[in-house]
Amino acid sequence: MKIITMKSSVFALVMALLISGCTTGVQPDSEAGADAGAGAEDGEYETGATVGTIGDGGAFTGSALEGMTISYEKNAINDPGNVLSIKTIYFDYDSSELSDDDAEVVKHHGKYLALNSDASMRLEGHTDERGTREYNIALADRRAQSIKKLLLFQGASSSQITIISYGEEKPAALGHDEDAWKLNRRAELVYE
Amino acid sequence: MNRWILLFFVACFSQTANAVLKIDITEGIEGATPIAIIPFQWNSATRLKDSDISEIVSSDLARSGKFSPVAEKSLLARPQRPEDIHFKTWRVAGVDHLVIGSVQMVANDSFKVEFRLFNVYRGEQVLGYSFNATSATLRTTAHQISDLIFEKLTGLPGAFNSRIAYVTSSGKPVEYRLQVADTDGYNPQTLLTSKEPIMSPVWSPDGSRVAYVSFESGLSAIFIHDIHKGTREKIASFKGINSAPAWSPDGKTMAMTLSKDGNADIYIISLQTRALRRLTSHWSIDTEAAWMPDSNSLVFTSSRSGKPQLYELSLDQGSRPKRLTFEGKYNSNASVSADGKAIAFVHSANNSYKIAVLYTDTRVMQVLTEGPLDESPDFAPNGTMILYASQDKGKAVLAAVSTDGRQKQRLALSDGEVREPSWAAKRK
């Protein structure tokens, strides 16, 4: 079920790109159509926000894993060339779904935790500043939870992982625009 | 008609140097009732700094949006005694009401404050009180006078003699502070300072305690802080999130959001027995509970329809949530007015987050603010204003809007950011 949702999200990305003709510089309103069709609950909102991110050439990196080494040795997490050096996962607005690439990264971390039972991870969830603070605490918790599920699926133990949700309280980037927001919608995998 | 009441006050806090919130009225005074507040006469006492009673009353009444005090320099005359008032002059000037008063020093640091409110058209006194005060309580006395005048002339209880709580952050590395202050921003006191986030302050119904979330231990926990004793108690520190405390109006129960059972859901805890009851159980996000006045149902935010919307849920066993908001794709963080007739919340349209009100009888929604990043609405105890958090030139400030949307004001710190305001129902 997880895979289906991720694939459909990727499909939505591709479709959005095709439809928008890869408009750069045009920042689609992430709430386009919010006033039309009041009360309707569809997927346009999400898609709109995603196109904005790609148009900006920002957090979404299609080939992040290419050329990276894969190793689960003790100090692999400190090797900048290792896939485990990717310790920040970014999200779309009001979403806790991972992209396929990010899911792949998280799986490697899960294997690392499974093979190094003395390792432990603090999983921090964050959101951008939009929306209400307490909703964002819950949203950031969901982001961390969705990563934890993948880690456990790879054999990591629940006792190795501590989740803390900061919501919008600890932004990585200051500023009040998409450039800052896309960096703040994140989860950080912190080895302790 | 003279009613003389003697009131005694105890200084609640020691004075400490803290950044003071500065209030500016940014929009709308038309349609407000003109009132002349004559500078109070100080008999055998030197006027104390920051304790100019007539000025405090003027500024309180102006902030309410319902009154338009005559500027001190535009006053036609400065009568000190009732017999000095020439009502016809004030009538011609279009002034509806007039206030005179005096401050007398009766002993060392002991003052007697008197005021009288007159109806200019009828040419008669409609209110008169006398108070005992010390230099430390003169401002409180002024806010009480504002409350009495406000209630006499509008029929609504005043909300000036109360306190607000809010969170500030400043410095590098960031330092978070939980502060309480008078409703005009004066007399700020710091309850907690932390290197980790502090969130969601909310007053107990009796105005003696503040509940909040602190991350000081590295994980979130909900505390109840007694503002007079300076002591506090940890109420919730479950695995996962401990968020969004909300005191029931009867003071017996606290609603909160926990994710200890997997996902953010609403729980209520008895403050007497500490018995915990789970109210919602849904795979989506349920959070930001706000109580209806009867303490028997809650309004909360849920993403069960796909996007955050407001729902109402009764505490009765087997009740199901009823959706309240249908306009727009982001409606969250409700604050319910004390009479239950209006719900303020954050409404997003066109990527702008604004404060809106939903009237519970007509189900009509009205957007009150401009955005783009307004949040944390909280009704004044008398329902006339909504205090909220906003951005001004990239800086976090507090703001207030009258419930009819006509009057707006900004409360900013000269240095640092301020957010998450909560207005106490009363001062204690």
Side-chain angles (χ1 to χ4, degrees):
Chain A
M1 196 189 90
K2 193 78 206 167
I3 290 162
I4 291 166
T5 48
M6 285 190 299
K7 277 196 176 146
S8 61
S9 124
V10 168
F11 176 73
L13 290 183
V14 172
M15 286 308 290
L17 268 174
L18 288 174
I19 293 161
S20 72
C22 297
T23 47
T24 314
V26 179
Q27 183 75 14
D29 189 338
S30 69
E31 279 225 12
D35 285 335
E41 302 293 346
D42 52 50
E44 287 168 18
Y45 189 5
E46 216 77 67
T47 311
T50 310
V51 176
T53 309
I54 295 169
D56 281 284
F60 188 89
T61 45
S63 56
L65 306 188
E66 244 171 63
M68 299 203 89
T69 57
I70 295 171
S71 151
Y72 307 113
E73 293 299 312
K74 188 89 198 146
N75 57 2
I77 49 171
N78 300 319
D79 172 7
N82 192 292
V83 66
L84 297 176
S85 67
I86 302 173
K87 297 191 183 81
T88 306
I89 306 294
Y90 296 96
F91 293 86
D92 286 341
Y93 176 76
D94 199 17
S95 166
S96 52
E97 281 183 22
L98 280 79
S99 70
D100 283 359
D101 271 354
D102 287 335
E104 196 62 33
V105 170
V106 171
K107 282 177 191 167
H108 290 300
H109 283 284
K111 279 182 191 148
Y112 177 85
L113 286 171
L115 292 168
N116 296 273
S117 58
D118 57 338
S120 63
M121 180 187 283
R122 182 180 160 90
L123 196 44
E124 299 182 355
H126 300 269
T127 69
D128 68 30
E129 65 179 342
R130 293 176 296 167
T132 54
R133 288 179 180 271
E134 289 152 339
Y135 182 82
N136 282 341
I137 286 285
L139 174 60
D141 187 57
R142 263 172 105 79
R143 286 177 177 165
Q145 297 280 4
S146 63
I147 289 174
K148 184 179 174 180
K149 273 180 207 149
L150 280 182
L151 294 172
L152 297 182
F153 196 69
Q154 296 302 318
S157 149
S158 193
S159 63
Q160 288 175 285
I161 304 158
T162 306
I163 286 185
I164 178 158
S165 170
Y166 285 117
E168 63 179 277
E169 307 302 316
K170 289 197 165 183
L174 301 172
H176 307 290
D177 52 22
E178 179 58 26
D179 287 343
W181 294 334
K182 70 188 176 196
L183 296 173
N184 293 334
R185 295 187 297 264
R186 71 199 193 278
E188 294 187 8
L189 287 60
V190 184
Y191 285 96
E192 293 186 308
Chain B
M1 275 293 282
N2 279 6
R3 286 169 56 198
W4 298 95
I5 292 183
L6 224 52
L7 296 170
F8 297 89
F9 303 104
V10 179
C12 306
F13 294 115
S14 62
Q15 302 282 329
T16 52
N18 266 318
V20 172
L21 281 167
K22 187 176 169 295
I23 303 185
D24 294 309
I25 294 176
T26 48
E27 213 174 288
I29 44 163
E30 57 198 73
T33 305
I35 183 168
I37 297 158
I38 311 300
F40 281 28
Q41 194 176 22
W42 287 64
N43 297 325
S44 62
T46 316
R47 196 181 279 210
L48 295 172
K49 188 179 169 288
D50 289 339
S51 297
D52 187 332
I53 296 200
S54 43
E55 195 183 292
I56 297 165
V57 172
S58 282
S59 116
D60 281 349
L61 295 177
R63 279 202 326 279
S64 75
K66 297 199 181 297
F67 293 94
S68 165
V70 178
E72 193 182 327
K73 61 178 187 305
S74 309
L75 290 170
L76 302 166
R78 295 175 182 232
Q80 297 299 337
R81 296 169 303 173
E83 54 268 37
D84 299 339
I85 305 169
H86 192 245
F87 288 106
K88 197 179 166 195
T89 312
W90 296 100
R91 245 176 254 148
V92 170
V95 172
D96 294 355
H97 298 93
L98 185 129
V99 176
I100 64 168
S102 65
V103 182
Q104 251 185 301
M105 191 159 89
V106 290
N108 189 28
D109 201 30
S110 174
F111 300 88
K112 186 176 169 192
V113 180
E114 292 179 7
F115 85 94
R116 295 159 192 264
L117 169 68
F118 296 88
N119 179 310
V120 168
Y121 285 84
R122 300 212 305 265
E124 65 180 34
Q125 180 175 328
V126 292
L127 201 64
Y129 280 84
S130 173
F131 304 84
N132 279 353
T134 65
S135 55
T137 62
L138 277 170
R139 288 194 73 91
T140 310
T141 303
H143 294 310
Q144 280 185 308
I145 293 171
S146 305
D147 281 349
L148 289 165
I149 295 171
F150 187 88
E151 180 157 11
K152 185 70 190 175
L153 299 181
T154 67
L156 296 165
F160 306 110
N161 185 32
S162 180
R163 289 194 180 92
I164 55 173
Y166 49 86
V167 175
T168 70
S169 64
S170 60
K172 265 185 187 166
V174 180
E175 195 164 77
Y176 301 85
R177 284 195 179 84
L178 172 65
Q179 298 196 310
V180 298
D182 295 348
T183 57
D184 59 357
Y186 270 80
N187 197 22
Q189 310 287 326
T190 302
L191 296 185
L192 181 70
T193 303
S194 177
K195 297 279 181 211
E196 295 295 331
I198 301 169
M199 289 182 73
S200 314
V202 59
W203 287 95
S204 62
D206 70 358
S208 71
R209 288 160 293 161
V210 178
Y212 55 85
V213 175
S214 172
F215 287 73
E216 64 199 54
S217 70
L219 297 170
S220 63
I222 297 172
F223 292 88
I224 291 179
H225 197 119
D226 186 308
I227 65 165
H228 297 295
K229 293 182 192 148
T231 56
R232 63 176 194 168
E233 206 181 339
K234 197 187 279 180
I235 296 298
S237 55
F238 295 99
K239 181 169 165 272
I241 64 174
N242 295 272
S243 175
W247 237 295
S248 64
D250 63 15
K252 293 177 184 164
T253 310
M254 184 175 284
M256 57 183 65
T257 302
L258 306 173
S259 64
K260 70 184 187 70
D261 299 313
N263 180 45
D265 276 305
I266 312 278
Y267 295 72
I268 52 171
I269 191 167
S270 159
L271 293 176
Q272 285 135 16
T273 65
R274 296 294 161 86
L276 193 66
R277 178 179 157 198
R278 186 176 182 174
L279 281 190
T280 67
S281 181
H282 197 276
W283 55 265
S284 72
I285 291 171
D286 291 336
T287 185
E288 298 173 336
W291 293 84
M292 293 302 280
D294 64 1
S295 294
N296 195 48
S297 59
L298 293 161
V299 177
F300 66 100
T301 307
S302 177
S303 63
R304 59 189 63 205
S305 69
K307 293 291 161 197
Q309 295 290 349
L310 297 183
Y311 292 77
E312 185 177 353
L313 178 63
S314 160
L315 299 198
D316 298 338
Q317 293 290 350
S319 296
R320 293 174 60 84
K322 185 176 71 182
R323 185 166 165 180
L324 296 178
T325 51
F326 295 91
E327 281 183 63
K329 296 192 180 182
Y330 199 114
N331 293 300
S332 68
N333 198 16
S335 168
V336 182
S337 66
D339 62 9
K341 288 180 180 162
I343 299 168
F345 56 98
V346 174
H347 168 78
S348 168
N350 302 321
N351 205 21
S352 181
Y353 296 76
K354 303 171 180 188
I355 306 300
V357 163
L358 179 75
Y359 292 94
T360 48
D361 50 354
T362 58
R363 293 292 151 110
V364 168
M365 186 186 91
Q366 188 190 354
V367 177
L368 300 179
T369 68
E370 302 298 315
L373 288 167
D374 297 340
E375 61 180 1
S376 306
D378 188 47
F379 266 106
N382 62 9
T384 60
M385 305 214 77
I386 297 159
L387 194 58
Y388 62 99
S390 187
Q391 297 270 351
D392 186 34
K393 300 180 193 81
K395 184 173 144 165
V397 300
L398 302 186
V401 59
S402 57
T403 313
D404 61 11
R406 286 195 324 186
Q407 208 253 10
K408 293 193 175 85
Q409 50 193 272
R410 186 181 55 231
L411 300 80
L413 284 175
S414 56
D415 183 29
E417 314 236 318
V418 55
R419 54 179 172 262
E420 295 196 273
S422 173
W423 197 323
K426 57 181 93 158
R427 186 188 189 95
K428 194 177 174 184

